[in-house]
Amino acid sequence: MKGIQATSNDTYRKLMGNGLRYEIPKFQRDYSWESEHWDDLWQDILLIIQNEENEHYMGYLVLQTSDNKSFTIIDGQQRLTTLSILILVVIKVLSDFVEEGIEKANNQLRIDSYRKNYIGTLDTVTLISDNKLKLNRNSDEYYRNNIVLLKNLPLRNTNTSEKHMRECFLWFYDRLSKKFKIGEDIAQFVEKIVDKLFLLSLPLLIR
C-alpha cells in the first residue's frame, strides 16, 4: 500500500543529511545529462554565487520509501547524480590544493567534511566507499570505483552512462579549477549550492 506524504522544498544539504540513503533502481534509465544540461545548472549556480538570485528551484524529486531513511529514486536521478559529481569535483579541486601545499590542513578538513556530509564514508583499509547515493546497474560500479575515489577516469570499454559521468566530472572540473584558487572561496561556493539549490520532494510511503 502506497501513501503520498506531504511534499517539501528540500535543499541539497537536507536531502543528503541525517543518514539518508538514495538508490536508483537497477532498471531505471541511465545517466544521460550532457553539456547543455550542465551549462544550464552552472549558469543558475553563477547567479546564486553572484547574489543575483537568492535560491534556485531544480525541479521534482519523486521518491519511494518504507522508513523515511532509505529512498528509491523514481524521478530526479539526473539532478541528484549531477550534484553528487559536482561535490566530488569540489573534493578533487581541494585535493589538488593539498597536493600543492596550499593550506593543507584546512583543505583536508574540508575534504573530509564534504565526503562525510554529501558522499559517504570511506573505509580506510579497503578504500571502499559506503555511498549515500547508489546508481543503477550500468553506472554504479564506475561511479563507486572511479569517480568517488577520484581515480583517473577510464574512457575505454565504458558504456554510454559512464562516458556521460566522466564528461560531467571533467566539464565541472575545468570550470571549478579555473575559478577557484583557494579553499575558502570554494567552501563558500559549496555553502551556497547546498543551501540555495532546492528540489521539490514527493515521497511515496510504502506500507
Side-chain angles (χ1 to χ4, degrees), residues 169-186:
F169 187 97
L170 296 176
W171 194 96
F172 280 110
Y173 179 73
D174 178 67
R175 281 148 184 82
L176 266 64
S177 61
K178 289 177 180 176
K179 187 171 183 61
F180 299 109
K181 300 304 178 184
I182 61 173
E184 186 175 346
D185 287 348
I186 202 167

Side-chain angles (χ1 to χ4, degrees), residues 126-183:
T126 64
L127 297 182
I128 295 174
S129 182
D130 183 15
N131 298 325
K132 293 173 178 284
L133 175 64
K134 182 177 180 181
L135 306 188
N136 75 359
R137 61 176 183 170
N138 292 327
S139 308
D140 193 63
E141 182 177 355
Y142 189 90
Y143 169 79
R144 184 179 67 249
N145 294 335
N146 295 290
I147 296 179
V148 169
L149 298 182
L150 302 182
K151 293 183 178 179
N152 290 330
L153 302 180
L155 183 57
R156 291 185 176 182
N157 301 317
T158 53
N159 61 41
T160 302
S161 177
E162 294 167 343
K163 287 183 173 68
H164 284 308
M165 288 191 294
R166 178 182 184 273
E167 290 166 3
C168 176
F169 187 97
L170 296 176
W171 194 96
F172 280 110
Y173 179 73
D174 178 67
R175 281 148 184 82
L176 266 64
S177 61
K178 289 177 180 176
K179 187 171 183 61
F180 299 109
K181 300 304 178 184
I182 61 173

Side-chain angles (χ1 to χ4, degrees), residues 52-65:
E52 294 181 33
E53 281 191 3
N54 188 48
E55 59 187 40
H56 178 70
Y57 168 66
M58 291 188 66
Y60 284 93
L61 182 61
V62 182
L63 306 167
Q64 197 172 69
T65 182

Side-chain angles (χ1 to χ4, degrees), residues 73-85:
I73 303 172
I74 306 302
D75 189 22
Q77 65 123 324
Q78 305 291 331
R79 301 177 186 92
L80 275 192
T81 302
T82 302
L83 289 173
S84 178
I85 292 173

Side-chain angles (χ1 to χ4, degrees), residues 23-120:
E23 181 173 353
I24 298 167
K26 60 182 180 180
F27 295 112
Q28 182 71 276
R29 62 180 296 203
D30 292 339
Y31 182 70
S32 61
W33 270 21
E34 298 180 326
S35 58
E36 62 184 279
H37 304 100
W38 308 325
D39 190 61
D40 283 345
L41 175 59
W42 180 242
Q43 296 306 320
D44 292 333
I45 289 173
L46 289 179
L47 290 176
I48 290 173
I49 65 176
Q50 293 164 2
N51 296 316
E52 294 181 33
E53 281 191 3
N54 188 48
E55 59 187 40
H56 178 70
Y57 168 66
M58 291 188 66
Y60 284 93
L61 182 61
V62 182
L63 306 167
Q64 197 172 69
T65 182
S66 59
D67 58 9
N68 284 316
K69 292 183 178 179
S70 298
F71 299 87
T72 299
I73 303 172
I74 306 302
D75 189 22
Q77 65 123 324
Q78 305 291 331
R79 301 177 186 92
L80 275 192
T81 302
T82 302
L83 289 173
S84 178
I85 292 173
L86 178 56
I87 294 295
L88 286 161
V89 170
V90 165
I91 293 172
K92 170 59 177 170
V93 173
L94 289 170
S95 298
D96 292 346
F97 293 163
V98 170
E99 290 180 7
E100 294 165 9
I102 301 172
E103 295 185 326
K104 291 180 66 173
N106 288 341
N107 285 324
Q108 187 60 54
L109 286 173
R110 292 179 178 115
I111 290 169
D112 295 341
S113 176
Y114 295 152
R115 277 201 176 276
K116 178 181 177 182
N117 292 336
Y118 304 115
I119 302 301

